[in-house]
Amino acid sequence: MVKKYGITALLLFGVYVFVMYVYIFHSNSGGIPESLKGTVADPHVFMSEHELYLSEEYSKIKNFLFFVATPFEWLVYLFILITGLSQAFESWIPMKNKSAILQNAVYLFLLSLFIFIVLFPLDYYSYFLSKSYGISTQIFTSWMRDNVIGFWISFGTTLVIVTVLYWLINKNPKKWWINAGLLMIPFSIFLMFIQPVVIDPLYNDFYPLTNKELETKILTLAEQANIPANHVYEVIMTEKTNALNAYVTGIGSNSRIVLWDTTLNRLSESEILFIMAHEMGHYVEKHIYFGIAGYILTTILGLWLTAKLMPWIIARFGRGLKIKRINAIHSLPLFFLITSFLLFASSPLSNYISRYQETRADEYALQLVADPSAAVSTFQELTKAGLNEVNPPLLVKWFRYSHPTMLERIINVANETRTKE
């Protein structure tokens, strides 16, 4: 039975990898329509031949890795179950009579460490790839430090969630998902509140923007948009990446407007103001609150589906998966597998909603700063800095792009400009 499950999973994974390889490396999807060749949307206009070559190569490898990594993770979860490793991790707990959170901590540490080690080569290759193509500037020790910090943050938050989750499953095996979903609301809001002041500074150093003249102009834009902001923060990213970014993070009194120093160093003032106006568009359009509401709804729906699927899978395949009952901690890899699959399957919808919100933010930025040329040059610089595809293949766009493609964003600027004229 175990051998059959393992061979079937490997064959399916092999077929999937082959299909995705052919689609990404040998299909004719993507490219620039003939009508747009030679325009500001054409990468041949604003990128050198070398940049174009690197962008095409890097994008294909990066996209292929994305589509392989998540199903490979499912394979790891399946391996942990069918080989009995999950049961072994549970049996190795030395504190059988201690509190549930201590027992869960030992099990989760063993599980997390095993997954971290197995997936490390893939993570390292992604880092190596980014460094080879000039996106990452981070030295290995710094990258490893970020990985270790991420491991412990993930471990801590997951431990709280898992302990509460299995307590709820023990109390009510059929209705646990309702209470779990409701408890995720305050927990998620709490994490969003503390992220800018507790979590983010563990990875990077944040300072008030040193260019006070630029800060004044950004805060003037914020005042025009009726956004209560007193400071703009600069984060030192030069030692980690050549990519560009700016964002608004946190909620309530802990919300922050943040600019990467790479953005400050590479973009002109008008381009930076456009980016800031874009971020303000998210605030004005209340996207963060729609995002919280959407997250809560999808979390509850996902937990409901997981609560339906887990008992069915255990009843049908429990013997082969070495799972005795749903409320045993060794069933956790199955929970992770199901939720990971649901997240992957729902990503086209969540990305579509995100792209709509990003389009709205672009439109708002154009109204606020009224500088379409700055918008176009910003999109061009973002493409060059990240070696991004201007018009990726359809599946890549559906599953990977939370922002509109650069082709769409530049076309939208042109359309907005024509509408005003």
Side-chain angles (χ1 to χ4, degrees), residues 59-287:
S59 295
K60 285 181 177 179
I61 300 171
K62 188 172 59 173
N63 292 335
F64 181 67
L65 280 177
F66 168 81
F67 280 104
V68 168
T70 302
F72 179 71
E73 189 177 322
W74 304 340
L75 211 61
V76 173
Y77 291 137
L78 188 62
F79 173 83
I80 291 169
L81 289 169
I82 64 176
T83 58
L85 260 179
S86 188
Q87 279 190 338
F89 291 153
E90 186 179 27
S91 68
W92 294 342
I93 297 174
M95 299 169 287
K96 292 292 184 181
N97 298 319
K98 300 294 182 181
S99 66
I101 193 164
L102 284 174
Q103 293 182 46
N104 291 342
V106 174
Y107 172 85
L108 186 61
F109 176 76
L110 293 171
L111 178 66
S112 301
L113 184 63
F114 179 82
I115 293 170
F116 180 86
I117 292 170
V118 171
L119 297 182
F120 182 80
L122 205 57
D123 292 335
Y124 176 76
Y125 181 71
S126 295
Y127 158 73
F128 172 79
L129 185 71
S130 181
K131 187 139 185 165
S132 299
Y133 282 85
I135 306 298
S136 173
T137 58
Q138 194 171 18
I139 61 174
F140 175 78
T141 51
S142 172
W143 175 79
M144 198 65 208
R145 175 183 174 273
D146 284 353
N147 269 270
V148 172
I149 291 171
F151 174 87
W152 285 112
I153 291 174
S154 175
F155 173 77
T157 53
T158 306
L159 177 59
V160 174
I161 293 169
V162 166
T163 300
V164 174
L165 185 71
Y166 276 82
W167 176 74
L168 291 171
I169 292 174
N170 272 300
K171 287 202 69 170
N172 194 338
K174 291 187 177 180
K175 299 289 185 180
W176 60 268
W177 61 273
I178 300 175
N179 292 324
L182 293 175
L183 286 173
M184 281 300 294
I185 298 172
F187 184 71
S188 301
I189 293 173
F190 171 72
L191 286 180
M192 292 178 70
F193 184 77
I194 68 167
Q195 181 174 332
V197 294
V198 177
I199 299 174
D200 289 348
L202 294 174
Y203 293 95
N204 302 299
D205 296 323
F206 292 79
Y207 305 96
L209 187 61
T210 52
N211 186 337
K212 295 303 175 185
E213 184 180 344
L214 177 60
E215 183 180 48
T216 300
K217 292 181 180 180
I218 292 171
L219 293 177
T220 300
L221 280 181
E223 187 179 353
Q224 292 173 20
N226 296 316
I227 297 173
N230 298 317
H231 297 287
V232 178
Y233 289 87
E234 177 181 346
V235 57
I236 309 303
M237 294 296 294
T238 320
E239 295 179 355
K240 291 187 176 183
T241 183
N242 285 318
L244 313 178
N245 197 17
Y247 57 91
V248 176
T249 185
I251 56 174
S253 59
N254 278 2
S255 60
R256 285 183 173 183
I257 299 173
V258 179
L259 273 164
W260 285 10
D261 64 335
T262 51
T263 304
L264 291 165
N265 296 338
R266 182 157 176 171
L267 297 188
S268 67
E269 184 178 278
S270 60
E271 291 166 342
I272 292 170
L273 290 176
F274 172 79
I275 286 180
M276 288 291 94
H278 169 95
E279 297 304 328
M280 292 171 193
H282 287 303
Y283 181 93
V284 172
E285 295 274 338
K286 296 181 171 48
H287 289 161

Side-chain angles (χ1 to χ4, degrees), residues 352-369:
Y352 174 82
I353 295 169
S354 177
R355 288 195 299 271
Y356 171 77
Q357 292 179 338
E358 294 296 335
T359 300
R360 293 285 297 171
D362 280 348
E363 291 169 356
Y364 180 84
L366 283 169
Q367 293 172 8
L368 189 60
V369 299

